[in-house]
Amino acid sequence: MKIELFGNLEQAKEVELLMQEWTEALHEKDAELMAHYYGEDAKVFDIGCQTEGRDAYKKLWLSCFPYFGETISIERQQTTIHATDGLAFLYGYVRLSGGQSDDPANLAWSRVTVCCQKIKGTWKVIHEHVSMPIDFAQNKPVLLLEVPERGG
């Protein structure tokens, strides 16, 4: 997966490393380690809920793990990281998979934006927003089974 880096490239690469380490923790279903990468008061707006704080984030993942069966994986597309000295954000598309479900929702891509801040020399996620587009006429999510082209 190609990640586009902008701004302070050294800082952007550090944020990319945080993302890689978080992904490894996800594969291990280690909610404690996943939460370690989040700030004490991190705010997360997920598709189905909103959490505030590291402990709430950890509980969210502990409640999600059973839906993925034995293994969980994540795919990323069109990931971009913009970084300055001490503040960065990344955005793109993500898809989680695992378990044996044929439900199209399990194959859909979500949009994600993550804001990071360097706190006492360590990058922490301070805000995260995960979403799916909504068809307001039908009052239901639009399942992105393919990632839209850039700029599309």
Side-chain angles (χ1 to χ4, degrees):
M1 168 193 61
K2 181 180 179 254
I3 298 176
E4 292 187 281
L5 305 177
F6 295 96
N8 182 321
L9 297 183
E10 181 180 323
Q11 301 286 305
K13 287 177 184 177
E14 290 176 8
V15 172
E16 181 181 13
L17 180 60
L18 176 150
M19 186 178 70
Q20 291 169 355
E21 291 174 354
W22 180 92
T23 298
E24 291 172 17
L26 173 71
H27 290 153
E28 296 297 321
K29 294 186 179 179
D30 188 340
E32 183 73 37
L33 184 55
M34 291 166 66
H36 163 78
Y37 297 104
Y38 283 66
E40 195 64 41
D41 299 321
K43 293 181 181 42
V44 175
F45 300 108
D46 205 354
I47 292 172
C49 68
Q50 176 177 326
T51 66
E52 186 169 339
R54 189 180 292 150
D55 289 337
Y57 178 76
K58 180 173 114 178
K59 287 177 187 173
L60 169 64
W61 275 104
L62 288 172
S63 72
C64 290
F65 286 152
Y67 295 101
F68 292 99
E70 293 295 316
T71 61
I72 185 171
S73 63
I74 186 170
E75 295 174 75
R76 291 188 177 88
Q77 292 288 325
Q78 298 183 16
T79 302
T80 303
I81 300 174
H82 292 264
T84 63
D85 293 333
L87 194 61
F89 69 95
L90 65 95
Y91 56 87
Y93 293 89
V94 297
R95 177 167 58 186
L96 293 170
S97 59
Q100 303 298 319
S101 176
D102 292 334
D103 184 347
N106 292 335
L107 305 173
W109 290 90
S110 299
R111 303 171 297 191
V112 65
T113 302
V114 179
C115 298
C116 301
Q117 182 177 14
K118 204 166 208 181
I119 301 171
K120 297 180 183 175
T122 302
W123 285 102
K124 298 287 182 179
V125 173
I126 58 172
H127 177 81
E128 178 178 284
H129 189 140
V130 182
S131 67
M132 287 184 157
I134 298 291
D135 178 336
F136 287 104
Q138 296 186 36
N139 196 29
K140 66 179 188 177
V142 175
L143 300 179
L144 298 175
L145 300 179
E146 295 181 17
V147 174
E149 294 291 323
R150 282 201 186 263

